[in-house]
Amino acid sequence: MYVASGITKHYQGVHALNGVDLTVRAGEVHALLGANGAGKSTLVKILVGAEQPTSGSLTLDGRPVRFADVGDAAEKGVAIVSQELNLFPDLSVLHNLFLTREPLRSGVLVDQAEMRRRARPVLEAVGLDVPVDRLVGQLRLSERQLVEIARALLGEPKLLLLDEPTSALRAAETARLLGVVRTLRDQGVGIVYVSHMLEDVFAVADNVTILRDGCVAVAGEPCTSMTIRGVVGHMLGAAKPLDGESAKRPERPEGEQPPHSAPLRLEGVAVADEVGPIDLTAHPGEVVGLAGLEGSGAHTVFEVIFGRRRADAGTITLPTGRPGPSSETQAVRSGVAFIPGDRRRLGLMLEKPIFENIAIVRGGPLRGMGFLLNGKAMLARAEHWRNRLGIRMSSPRTPVGHLSGGNQQKVVFAKWLETEPPLVLLDDPTRGVDIGAKAEMHAAVADMAASGRVVLVTSSDLKELSDICDRVVIFFQGRACGELRDQQLNEHSLLEAMNTGDLASC
Amino acid sequence: MSDHDLKPPAQTATSRVGSDSASASSTVRGRAIRSAARRLLSVNEFGISAVLVVLVLAIGLYDPVFLEPNVLLTTLRQAAFVAIVAYGMVFLLAMTEFDLSVGGTYAVCFIVCAVMMANDGVNPWLAALISIVLGAGLGALNGVLASLLRIPVIIVTLGTLSAYRGVVTVISDNASVRGLPVDHAFFTGLGDQWLGMPVAAWFVVVLGIVLTIVFTKTRFGAMVRAIGSNRDAAAFSGIPIGRIRLYALMVVGALAGLAGVLNLAYFQGADPTVGAGFELQVIAAAIIGGTAVTGGSGTVPGALIGALVVSVINGGLVFFRVPTTWTNVVTGAVILIAVGMDALIRRRRDAALRLTA
Ligand SMILES: Nc1ncnc2c1ncn2[C@@H]1O[C@H](COP(=O)(O)OP(=O)(O)OP(=O)(O)O)[C@@H](O)[C@H]1O
Ligand SMILES: [Mg+2]
């Protein structure tokens, strides 16, 4: 049993946690919920010694403990899968898994064979199917997420802390992970499970604790006594109650011409043996989803439209009338915005202030703010987005890296919306965002479409796809094999079509 | 305070108002002083400036001759040549690039300028201008090579440093250039002083202001810092990394050319061994000044202070009569001590600022 009592954590001026208690028992899945910035990650980091509390105490199996760092905690049986992955991109999967605890041969040489032998069952359990010698930097985000999980499992912890482990995972991978969690629980491992996917939480958790503004709102209630609606109420507090339905787009006023009236056209676009040829047209005002399993080509199409990959054949016409770009710079200047799924690597300058992050595309390559940048104007824009998207920050001058994960995602969103692009590509746009803010961001997407932009979306969250898209194009083995719309479009039809490439049954 | 306690209660109310406002105004003043002190402390260059002052005073106490105007002027002039180029190096370091070839560029521009104007050749002003443009061109060559060959600038410039130095030997035929028009206004003006400071130092002041603004307040500067803080995200944001790097290298090249020209104006002679080890002084100045090699940030004024530190150490050692065989060892040791002291001051200061936050 792991007990945290009276945990308080203050960062310069920010009260992240105020006297929080949490008890995790062996053989229990304890969900830890709360809105973005509520303090979940902070609490989890304190539990594993990655941060030291300002005050409060930790007791493990009746004895007070104080972990010097994460390695120390791991030795004592407490492991973490952190929200922002901590992997080494230039090392192989195998070396990442065993870093600092490599099995040795005759006390000096790293025992590769032993590492492989021990890694195999764990990788199988989490369903990661990549060569273990591949560099982690070459893996997709979802694969990296699984490496991080596998690394935690390898230490055979007594207590496992999972901070949004499924935010980058697809449905099948998530289901598999939930299976692993249940197995571990049955073996007597205590598990803390942080997530914004409330369906998953209810599927796996025994008890819930809900944080709000750094305080405990619900303390370790059994899951069976709660409803999703009730949980959301506790998370968001007095803030607006959700109407359950996701925001559907406001109708565009009759007769009003959108500012960018040309469609996006792909004609016969093909990339090596990965994709194509593909024809696709998306009109202004439309939100079009691209769905498919990894490697089906949906994501490659995004990269081609954004100039990160070259198409070997076919033509692209952007809504601005320009041809397909040959670099990101050209794409941005031709009016394309790409909200990336991997915010740490592609989205943010973590140590730079929030307002600089928001201004960098418009003020930089787009030259939208003149030669001399105006700090006041940039700060004002950051304030605008703080209000529009509800970014929880103490000031626009704080480094983005000090924000909670969901709030960082909102900054990425703001940075690209700031450019007022005619074409918007969204890749998992609401990863790690809480349920309230998600609705806000979906509304922002709907607004973009309503103002005459072309919006393309991929998402690992099929509910999100079916909620915000007018139609979803299904990709299967490199081809667009049809589309789902209206009543046909729902999570189940999507999942089936993505896995079979067969739309007839929908 | 104490006297109003003795007053009858009837007057207490009014006196309390008075004393409150008096104490309020004194706390306001106290707060103003404290916030001014905080602002001074929180200036990033505070630590290294303190180190500089200590160094100057220490050498001056040991041998007051060091503090005489002409000695200080020489030190200042040496620092000026280094500082001008270190300003540019700040831009490169901030985007996690190194230009090792600045010593070569500096020497090429120096020698080419001299050869052009020797024996009543080209007008010295024109020669100077051409040399600065040449410097920018050599910088551009570094950038183009790095882009074409897809190799890091540090590697490219490792090669061009040697190549540019070779060019100097070829052009000068490994001998001093003769026949310079030393009576020309180029030498009597640029090489001299103006309002009590070497003209080169005025260039340092003006360029320092201009480049500080470019670095902190312009689109170009913002993109440079963005590239250094997260290269992948910068590329993803549409920042043309190759182009920005090219511009930064051209700026550094032009500054190296300018430094070479100013040095020629002062020396009035052209020795082919000029600028040996110059690149390391430049990089040291930028880093000592507080520009992190990890990229993302930098300080142009810091580079000036760094250059002064380097130059004071180089000049000051003479006064300690360090045997010439030992100067490099001692210079290295003093630089390490200076940077170590700066780091110490920073840590102490950060801790102090956190406590009072
Ligand atoms: N290093 C830091 N410096 C300053 N403030 C911080 C730092 N880390 C976190 N915070 C602040 O502490 C608060 C709690 O953050 P935390 O990351 O725990 O939120 P969270 O509940 O995990 O949110 P999310 O769901 O978005 O991940 C936030 O207001 C955040 O800005
Ligand atoms: Mg978090």
Side-chain angles (χ1 to χ4, degrees), chain B residues 59 62-63 65-66 71 74-75 310-324 326-327 330-331 334:
Chain B
I59 300 172
Y62 182 83
D63 190 343
V65 174
F66 181 72
V71 179
T74 309
T75 311
V310 169
S311 157
V312 164
I313 291 174
N314 283 340
L317 285 183
V318 178
F319 292 88
F320 286 89
R321 289 177 201 86
V322 177
T324 44
W326 281 90
T327 36
V330 177
T331 310
V334 178

Side-chain angles (χ1 to χ4, degrees), chain A residues 49-89:
Chain A
E51 296 269 5
Q52 298 301 335
T54 310
S55 65
S57 65
L58 303 174
T59 329
L60 183 59
D61 296 332
R63 259 181 251 122
V65 283
R66 189 168 182 282
F67 301 127
D69 53 33
V70 180
D72 185 21
E75 268 168 34
K76 292 174 182 141
V78 181
I80 185 172
V81 172
S82 48
Q83 182 177 15
E84 310 298 351
L85 305 181
N86 286 311
L87 297 172
F88 296 85

Side-chain angles (χ1 to χ4, degrees), chain A residues 306 308 328-329 332 338 340 344-346 348-349 351-352 356 360-361 363-365 367 370-373 415-416, chain B residues 213-214 217-220 222-223 225-226 228-230 232-233 235-241 243 295-297 354 357:
Chain A
F306 199 57
R308 284 170 73 77
E328 289 104 331
T329 308
V332 167
F338 191 165
R344 304 267 284 190
R345 194 164 74 81
L346 300 176
L348 296 170
M349 307 179 277
E351 82 277 21
K352 292 272 174 244
E356 277 191 40
I360 191 66
V361 184
R367 311 190 180 106
F371 181 69
L372 274 182
L373 299 180
K415 156 180 167 173
W416 285 102
Chain B
I213 292 172
V214 172
K217 298 249 179 326
T218 65
R219 183 171 66 220
F220 175 70
M223 289 198 277
R225 286 177 282 124
S229 58
N230 183 347
D232 287 337
F236 200 90
S237 302
I239 293 176
I241 294 181
R243 177 112 39 96
S297 60
R354 243 200 314 280

Side-chain angles (χ1 to χ4, degrees), chain A residues 211-366:
Chain A
L211 297 181
R212 189 165 70 226
D213 292 334
C215 299
V216 175
V218 171
E221 295 280 327
C223 247
T224 44
S225 69
M226 315 268 310
T227 61
I228 289 197
R229 189 175 268 277
V231 165
V232 173
H234 284 297
M235 276 170 59
L236 303 182
K240 69 225 137 204
L242 282 185
D243 51 16
E245 270 310 291
S246 68
K248 266 293 172 193
R249 165 153 44 98
E251 284 307 314
R252 189 180 334 135
E254 282 298 319
E256 190 187 310
Q257 263 301 323
H260 318 283
S261 41
L264 164 76
R265 273 184 216 288
L266 273 66
E267 285 157 319
V269 169
V271 180
D273 47 357
E274 263 180 61
V275 175
I278 283 176
D279 297 308
L280 180 88
T281 305
H283 292 279
E286 252 190 327
V287 181
V288 180
L290 270 57
L293 303 175
E294 292 288 359
S296 65
H299 204 262
T300 313
V301 170
F302 266 36
E303 302 214 307
V304 170
I305 299 175
F306 199 57
R308 284 170 73 77
R309 305 271 304 262
R310 289 309 290 267
D312 298 312
T315 56
I316 298 176
T317 315
L318 298 176
T320 41
R322 309 250 194 102
S326 62
S327 70
E328 289 104 331
T329 308
Q330 237 182 52
V332 167
R333 290 190 179 150
S334 309
V336 188
F338 191 165
I339 297 177
D342 190 347
R343 62 174 167 254
R344 304 267 284 190
R345 194 164 74 81
L346 300 176
L348 296 170
M349 307 179 277
L350 289 172
E351 82 277 21
K352 292 272 174 244
I354 294 160
F355 75 94
E356 277 191 40
N357 272 279
I358 292 181
I360 191 66
V361 184
R362 188 153 92 94
L366 279 184

Side-chain angles (χ1 to χ4, degrees), chain A residues 40-41 83 163-164 404-405:
Chain A
K40 306 179 293 294
S41 297
Q83 182 177 15
D163 194 353
E164 301 198 30
S404 78

